[in-house]
Structure formats: C-alpha cells, structure tokens
Amino acid sequence: PPALRTLKLFSPRFPEAEISAFQVAEEGPSLLVVAVGFTNGDVYILRGDLVRDKVSHSKVTMGHYSSGKTAPGEASPQAITSLHFLQEPRALTLYVVTLLET
C-alpha cells in the first residue's frame, strides 16, 4: 500500500539508535500515541495527531547500566525488549520491559 504520511523520528535532540520494540495506542479519532523502544534503553514517545503533523515528542531513559562491552550478538541489559499500553477509561499506561534485573 502507498505511504500516506511519513514521520521523522530522529533529530539532534532524539539521536538515531537501533529500534528494538514498537507499540501504538489510539486515544481518539486521529489521536495516537506511539512508543518506540531502543537497544540503548531509551523510549521515544510521540503523541498527537499524526495526520495533521501536530505531534509532541518526549524521551524516557530506563537507566543506563554499564558493565563493560556487550559481546557481538548479545543483547544489552538495558535494551527495551517489549512495550505495551494499558488503556483504561481515564488513563493510558505504558509498560516497558528490559533485560535488567532488580
């Protein structure tokens, strides 16, 4: 199918990284929340009317963990492995899963 709209995800404020998870929730007619998780532990959240390009961006860092280098092919401990929205009548909650142990 043809692309109806493209959205620039990366910018100097939101640097490019490897995407490891992606989730979308609809808040209302043409109002979406998009969460994008990365292998470096960051989550970019885009909220708004994507069709009219009225979108706000925010970034959440899941706490950078440093234990030296990661072996090739091995997942980084702070990598976002899954994202999930829980939609309730008066709230939208984003759950973020990483490989970090507490």
Side-chain angles (χ1 to χ4, degrees):
L4 300 177
R5 186 71 143 163
T6 60
L7 182 66
K8 188 175 180 179
L9 181 61
F10 303 112
S11 70
R13 189 170 156 227
F14 297 94
E16 192 169 332
E18 185 179 348
I19 295 172
S20 57
F22 184 82
Q23 186 67 259
V24 178
E26 188 175 7
E27 285 192 307
S30 75
L31 294 176
L32 297 176
V33 180
V34 178
V36 183
F38 298 92
T39 57
N40 66 1
D42 289 342
V43 178
Y44 293 176
I45 300 170
L46 298 88
R47 169 180 252 143
D49 187 341
L50 301 179
V51 174
R52 292 188 178 90
D53 205 19
K54 295 182 188 251
V55 178
S56 66
H57 295 71
S58 56
K59 178 169 121 177
V60 177
T61 301
M62 298 312 295
H64 288 277
Y65 173 80
S66 178
S67 67
K69 299 259 183 199
T70 304
E74 183 181 323
S76 173
Q78 73 265 16
I80 306 302
T81 58
S82 180
L83 298 166
H84 179 75
F85 284 109
L86 174 62
Q87 209 153 14
E88 299 177 290
R90 300 185 72 144
L92 180 65
T93 305
L94 174 63
Y95 289 92
V96 179
V97 179
T98 69
L99 297 175
L100 286 173
E101 294 182 25
T102 57

